[in-house]
């Protein structure tokens, strides 16, 4: 048996009258997605492309940590990522928490200078909705149909267990 890697991200360059635009399709928010997306956007920037379409249409979501990891690259140092409610108390995850927990080797906002448009549709669910909503809150345009997204708005978090297996909690 072989390990089969299903890529979560694909990219291409679209050339039009207003110049070159990077088109990046994010199929799912998997464990490998942040690394793949980071690589594709870095490659686009290296080619002088600063306008990017992030296509989350028909993206069923996936791992919340993957969405947070990529959001970190579009964040300003003091941006708030999300609010989670645990019964009566509220926990706020900010850029400092994300840096400590998910991405300790880089500063926030690596792609903040990019001109990004996020595409969504009725098939955009879960972590893709959280990602798109946060990008919209931070001033990035989000384009989709009038009926909006799937309206699930939750993601999965992975918890490692002592026997080496993991629990994915939605």
């Amino acid at each position: 048996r072989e390990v089969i890697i299903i890529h979560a991200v694909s990219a291409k360059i679209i050339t039009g009258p207003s110049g070159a635009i990077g088109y990046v399709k994010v199929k799912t928010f998997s464990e490998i997605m942040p690394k793949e997306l980071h690589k594709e956007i870095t490659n686009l920037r290296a080619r002088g492309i600063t306008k990017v379409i992030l296509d989350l249409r028909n993206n069923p979501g996936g791992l919340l940590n993957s969405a947070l990891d990529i959001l970190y690259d579009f964040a300003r140092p003091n941006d708030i990522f999300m609010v989670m409610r645990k019964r009566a108390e509220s926990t706020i995850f900010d850029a400092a928490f994300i840096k400590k927990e998910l991405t300790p080797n880089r500063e926030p906002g690596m792609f903040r200078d990019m001109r990004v448009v996020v595409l969504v549709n009725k098939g955009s669910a879960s972590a893709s909705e959280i990602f798109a909503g946060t990008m919209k809150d931070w001033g990035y345009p989000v384009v989709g149909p009038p009926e909006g997204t799937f309206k699930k708005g939750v993601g999965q978090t992975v918890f490692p267990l002592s026997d080496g297996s993991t629990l994915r909690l939605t």
Side-chain angles (χ1 to χ4, degrees):
R1 297 183 182 198
E2 290 185 42
V3 174
I4 299 172
I5 297 174
I6 299 173
H7 293 284
V9 177
S10 60
K12 63 183 177 180
I13 297 172
I14 301 169
T15 306
S18 62
I21 297 173
Y23 172 84
V24 181
K25 174 69 175 166
V26 181
K27 299 169 194 151
T28 185
F29 284 84
S30 66
E31 292 171 359
I32 63 170
M33 187 280 293
K35 186 175 182 179
E36 288 184 355
L37 184 59
H38 187 269
K39 177 183 170 190
E40 293 297 348
I41 293 178
T42 300
N43 288 342
L44 291 170
R45 177 186 274 155
R47 296 179 75 175
I49 297 170
T50 58
K51 297 177 187 175
V52 176
I53 297 168
L54 283 180
D55 188 350
L56 303 182
R57 293 176 297 174
N58 299 315
N59 180 318
L63 300 176
L64 186 56
N65 287 355
S66 293
L68 293 174
D69 194 343
I70 290 301
L71 283 168
Y72 186 80
D73 290 329
F74 292 98
R76 294 171 296 240
N78 296 321
D79 280 336
I80 293 175
F81 283 77
M82 60 182 288
V83 176
M84 291 181 63
R85 304 228 180 259
K86 292 190 232 176
R87 296 189 184 158
E89 64 192 71
S90 177
T91 303
I92 297 175
F93 294 103
D94 61 16
F97 170 84
I98 300 300
K99 181 176 181 183
K100 180 177 179 245
E101 297 297 319
L102 297 175
T103 52
N105 297 324
R106 64 187 199 270
E107 292 300 316
M110 175 178 285
F111 300 133
R112 187 74 193 171
D113 63 320
M114 304 292 277
R115 293 182 59 197
V116 178
V117 174
V118 180
L119 302 182
V120 295
N121 68 1
K122 191 79 172 152
S124 304
S126 188
S128 64
E129 291 172 298
I130 293 168
F131 180 89
T134 303
M135 292 290 280
K136 183 176 181 180
D137 287 348
W138 290 348
Y140 294 93
V142 176
V143 179
E147 67 269 12
T149 60
F150 191 78
K151 296 178 182 51
K152 182 179 177 192
V154 297
Q156 295 177 348
T157 302
V158 177
F159 295 97
L161 302 177
S162 60
D163 67 355
S165 61
T166 56
L167 170 69
R168 291 180 188 226
L169 178 65
T170 300

